DNA sequence: CTGTTAGCGCTTTCAG
DNA sequence: CTGAAAGCGCTAACAG
């Protein structure tokens, strides 16, 4: 019996009818227009409560020509703590500007990323923050996003200019290898992962640069790539240890743990230095060196870049890149006798 | 010069004008209506490309009386891996139904949760999945959400019926304490956290139940609560250890690590058994028992419940509750000589 | 094959 | 103080 619009929710007209006024009056009451009589206001609010009416912000925004105040964040793997911290950083920074964050997972699929981008642009999100899944970034170019600005994270734009926040992958890889070389290691293996193409490549490049700078040639047989799967990573780590390195540099958390496990299982004694901090590192059995960086800060910077772009949409300056530093930390492992 | 609507993006009319057709024709081309001549189609698509036009899905949905295909997920702390896994579970389950997930962080603030709820309902999300920040759930009742269904996670509804997915907190607390009692411990401390009121209370209740069942009285002085902050938790853990327990049960990950650190620092020898799995547990110096559960599964169940509710919105069955089981796992710690 | 009219739910503008 | 008309961007329902 209650009058309802198609989608099942009452409309302003329903409220107006019940209160015996026009929908304009309802609109005014809801927006606290001062020139409304107390009695009318009461009647309207009564009808609102009775019907459980909530204004339709989408219709309102359409009429007002306003934006959605929505920003879409697309990450490759939400289960990875790096991305959840990233999301938190983005969210916290956007929230203070009254913007909402829509988080979507691309599961490392370029196809999904493209589909999501199209959808989000269609929904008129005000901006995109993306950890690109692949190398093809055409769908992120302004021509394809109807001008919706995009900020890339962790991987630089390919084939076009775009704002972007990176981690100092090269510097971190170089520093990790440098540490080990300083400690006298000469047979240092590298365990990366094939998916994170850019990231791993940079970290490896830094690793090799440190060898160059030390005047050493690096044995390519000591470089290996684990997969996305922890089990795969463990296998790769075991193989790598079998080649007899005295130390290993890893390109991410998963690989770091894989090496520690493989070493524990085989009883091999290797120094381990890897990317991403391990939050229980101080409680581990074995010593560990890590290249740590602030994932939340990455998110905050990306958000800020987007906000600046939104402010200046009329006269966009050149695309900018921001590089978040990494910090080397060492943990001693369990104190033994 | 390019004609553009207020928010800066071209509209269908702009495309129509440029292609020399009516907007209906553009609409048809975009939706692949077969009865459009090839040449017209080409002209329209040309104009679309030239202007960088993307259809406004919001306007379309308004006209069609369609829903938004959006579901809002509100969590108390996105930085906590539990919630990011939860989000992944929700996202993966909703995605297969073509629904998008909007993730928002309430930062444990009831006020923020209420504001977000109002906003999301106004935006006409199709459902809400909420980890409630506080005890006041009035804003989540159907009367306040204009009928938008809500599923609660981790904490049950208070003061109203609602779908809800819980973890077996009681059972887990009971099992953890039971383990330690079986091992002969008689002085077992409990470290909880005040914020997660319901969760901690249930875990403690289970802990005490195990003591009851063993015919033992538990000393209330052995119960303490750490804060949200890791430093605070460490302090509480240290105090607790100073009371000389032979074992500690912890209510969450943060507290587990706090106890391990405090024990390491003071050299105290205590057995530790706590809620939440620790992914490096097998690499730790010390042995550890945990109550583990599948956070992604919690998210999947919540999403499925919501989907069922959306299907049957006309004749809603009674609110349902689903309890995700916990599994006790033991890790041996570093093998010593 | 293509255009006109009307209206989704809301609000601005202009009249009362 | 309140209402009627027009229109945000789009599309169903009818023309032609």
């Amino acid at each position: 019996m209650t009058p309802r619009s198609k989608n099942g929710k009452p409309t302003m007209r329903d409220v107006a009818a019940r209160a015996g006024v026009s929908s304009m009056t309802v609109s005014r009451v809801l927006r606290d227009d001062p020139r409304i009589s107390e009695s009318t206001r009461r009647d309207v609010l009564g009808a609102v409560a009775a019907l459980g009416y909530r204004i339709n912000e989408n219709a309102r925004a359409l009429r007002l020509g306003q934006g959605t105040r929505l920003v879409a964040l697309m990450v490759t793997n939400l289960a990875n703590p790096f991305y959840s911290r990233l999301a938190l950083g983005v969210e916290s920074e956007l929230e203070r500007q009254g913007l909402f964050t829509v988080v979507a997972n691309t599961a490392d699929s370029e196809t999904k990323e493209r589909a999501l981008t199209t959808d989000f642009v269609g929904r008129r999100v005000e901006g995109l923050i993306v950890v690109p899944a692949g190398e093809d970034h055409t769908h992120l170019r302004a021509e394809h996003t109807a001008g919706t600005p995009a900020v890339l994270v962790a991987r630089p734009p390919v084939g076009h200019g775009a704002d972007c926040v990176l981690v100092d992958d090269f510097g971190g890889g170089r520093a990790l290898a440098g540490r080990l070389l300083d400690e006298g290691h000469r047979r240092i293996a590298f365990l990366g992962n094939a998916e994170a193409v850019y990231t791993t490549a940079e970290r490896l490049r830094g690793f090799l640069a440190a060898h160059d700078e030390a005047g050493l040639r690096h044995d390519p047989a000591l470089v290996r790539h684990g997969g996305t799967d922890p089990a795969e990573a463990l296998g790769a780590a075991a193989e790598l240890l079998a080649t007899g390195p005295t130390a290993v540099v890893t390109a991410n958390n998963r690989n770091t743990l894989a090496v520690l496990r493989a070493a524990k299982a085989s009883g091999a004694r290797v120094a381990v230095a890897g990317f991403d901090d391990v939050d229980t590192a101080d409680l581990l059995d074995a010593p560990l060196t890590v290249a740590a960086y602030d994932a939340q800060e990455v998110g905050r910077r990306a958000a800020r870049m987007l906000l600046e772009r939104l402010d200046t949409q009329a006269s966009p300056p050149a695309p900018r890149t921001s590089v978040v530093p990494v910090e080397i930390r060492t943990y001693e492992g369990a104190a033994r006798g």
Side-chain angles (χ1 to χ4, degrees), chain A:
Chain A
M1 284 296 91
T2 322
R4 289 176 170 265
S5 77
K6 255 178 257 169
N7 70 53
K9 299 212 190 320
T11 74
M12 217 152 178
R13 265 229 276 283
D14 298 328
V15 175
R18 194 176 217 274
V21 297
S22 78
S23 52
M24 256 326 294
T25 301
V26 177
S27 175
R28 287 181 176 122
V29 168
L30 292 179
R31 311 214 286 91
D32 282 317
D33 190 309
R35 41 184 202 177
I36 289 281
S37 77
E38 237 353 278
S39 75
T40 306
R41 181 191 302 295
R42 258 199 308 93
D43 291 352
V44 169
L45 292 178
V48 165
L51 296 177
Y53 171 77
R54 301 288 128 164
I55 199 165
N56 185 328
E57 296 289 355
N58 296 324
R60 177 157 206 268
L62 177 61
R63 172 63 238 238
L64 263 27
Q66 280 174 182
T68 55
R69 314 288 310 155
L70 247 37
V71 166
L73 170 66
M74 292 184 255
V75 300
T76 50
N77 177 10
L78 203 52
N80 184 326
F82 168 70
Y83 296 114
S84 48
R85 290 199 197 105
L86 172 79
L88 190 66
V90 168
E91 209 268 351
S92 66
E93 199 69 25
L94 294 179
E95 190 243 319
R96 24 192 1 229
Q97 305 298 322
L99 292 172
F100 288 87
T101 308
V102 185
V103 182
N105 199 50
T106 59
D108 258 312
S109 154
E110 251 184 65
T111 310
K112 206 175 163 193
E113 179 183 308
R114 205 187 330 275
L116 285 167
T117 303
T118 305
D119 186 277
F120 284 134
V121 169
R123 287 174 189 277
R124 293 295 188 266
V125 297
E126 306 201 349
L128 300 162
I129 297 180
V130 188
V131 180
E135 296 289 294
D136 180 5
H137 295 177
T138 48
H139 57 290
L140 297 174
R141 305 169 77 142
E143 313 90 86
H144 286 75
T145 62
T148 309
V151 174
L152 304 204
V153 174
R155 304 172 199 181
V158 340
H160 66 133
D163 288 331
C164 140
V165 179
L166 301 174
V167 169
D168 184 10
D169 297 306
F170 176 84
R174 182 161 162 277
L176 288 174
R179 266 310 157 98
L180 295 170
L181 290 169
D182 286 349
E183 288 170 8
H185 291 282
R186 286 297 174 271
R187 215 178 141 64
I188 311 177
F190 181 92
L191 183 60
N193 60 324
E195 308 76 42
V197 191
Y198 170 81
T199 302
T200 294
E202 281 300 292
R203 293 172 184 183
L204 176 55
R205 203 164 64 77
F207 171 90
L208 295 175
H211 281 77
D212 275 356
E213 289 163 19
L216 297 168
R217 188 163 310 168
H218 189 259
D219 178 0
L222 290 173
V223 176
R224 194 109 6 157
H225 291 280
T228 311
D229 193 63
E232 237 179 297
L234 188 59
E239 285 179 33
L240 204 48
L241 291 187
T243 66
T246 64
V248 186
V249 167
T250 55
N252 65 28
N253 207 297
R254 189 196 327 120
N255 289 331
T256 303
L257 300 185
V259 172
L260 290 174
R261 290 194 170 106
K264 185 168 188 168
S266 72
R269 289 194 54 214
V270 275
V272 183
F275 250 89
D276 300 330
D277 204 353
V278 173
D279 61 358
T280 53
D282 61 326
L283 295 170
L284 294 184
D285 187 19
L288 182 63
T289 297
V290 300
Y293 53 93
D294 187 344
Q296 254 189 266
E297 173 64 13
V298 175
R300 272 183 249 122
R301 287 198 196 187
R304 265 183 254 126
M305 251 187 200
L306 182 63
L307 289 168
E308 283 166 26
R309 186 64 70 186
L310 290 172
D311 275 350
T312 329
Q313 213 162 358
S315 61
R320 292 180 311 168
T321 294
S322 175
V323 178
V324 173
V326 309
E327 183 198 333
I328 304 299
R329 294 186 193 147
T330 59
Y331 299 96
E332 308 210 338
R336 307 229 177 201

